Structure formats: C-alpha cells, structure tokens
Amino acid sequence: MIEILVLLLVPLIAAMFVMVPVWFVVITKYFRYLRECQPDLYKEMGEPSLFANNTPSNNISFLRYVCGNKYFASEDENLISKSLFLKRFFYTYLAIFLTVIIGVVSVTNS
C-alpha cells in the first residue's frame, strides 16, 4: 500500500516543481499588465514585483485581490481572465501541496 502512495506522490511533487517557475512567469506578466494598464490598482496593491518590492503586505494584498472577486468590477476582460487563471492556479497548487504533505505524513507514519 505504501508503494502505491509513494508512486502517486512522485508525479504530484514533480507537478509542484514545474508549477513554481510557471507561477513566477505568470506573476511577472500580471504585475507588468497592472503597472501598464491598471496603474491605480497597481499602486493600491503596493506596487508589487517578483523580487524588488516583494513584501509580506504586498503578497497578502495581491492574494486577497486575486482570490477575491474585486476584479470583476473593473470590467477589464483581460484583467479578469488573468486574475481567474491565477486564482485557479493558486488553488490547484495549494491542493497539490496539501495532498503531498498529507501523503508524506502518511508514508512516514506507516
């Protein structure tokens, strides 16, 4: 039984390793779009960037925005689609992460 669980964990962990650089690329493009097309919103979020202005408060502000539904009020179809993608991607990664953590704990306790 443990061998099957380990075999299921391997592709999930591999998916996480692939998803991280994809997240960085998508976030960089999202921040660029905000800076160029939604400057007020970009300033409201604290002018986040991937490395230079990456503070906990900016991250929380960004995740609240993306995981919420405020972007629908903007009526900017491009912003809405980008935000929905990030929201789905974030929740997918979170689900995989939690599954891996539970799986690793299960394997080590067996």
Side-chain angles (χ1 to χ4, degrees):
M1 179 66 176
I2 293 174
E3 294 83 14
I4 294 171
L5 188 57
V6 170
L7 286 175
L8 293 174
L9 288 174
V10 170
L12 291 177
I13 293 170
M16 289 174 60
F17 276 102
V18 171
M19 290 176 79
V20 169
V22 171
W23 175 260
F24 288 153
V25 169
V26 174
I27 288 296
T28 302
K29 290 180 180 181
Y30 187 80
F31 290 156
R32 185 179 318 122
Y33 180 81
L34 287 177
R35 187 175 58 246
E36 294 170 359
C37 300
Q38 299 283 340
D40 294 336
L41 176 60
Y42 184 68
K43 287 180 183 174
E44 184 182 319
M45 282 188 195
E47 298 180 347
S49 69
L50 189 58
F51 297 110
N53 193 14
N54 190 355
T55 64
S57 64
N58 285 353
N59 290 334
I60 290 169
S61 175
F62 163 71
L63 284 175
R64 277 190 186 151
Y65 183 78
V66 169
C67 292
N69 293 318
K70 287 184 180 180
Y71 45 83
F72 287 113
S74 72
E75 297 182 5
D76 180 345
E77 291 299 322
N78 209 358
L79 178 64
I80 292 169
S81 69
K82 289 175 185 298
S83 299
L84 283 172
F85 175 80
L86 286 173
K87 183 178 191 175
R88 291 177 185 132
F89 195 92
F90 176 73
Y91 284 136
T92 301
Y93 186 88
L94 188 61
I96 292 171
F97 178 76
L98 293 174
T99 302
V100 167
I101 295 298
I102 292 168
V104 168
V105 168
S106 297
V107 168
T108 56
N109 285 339
S110 297

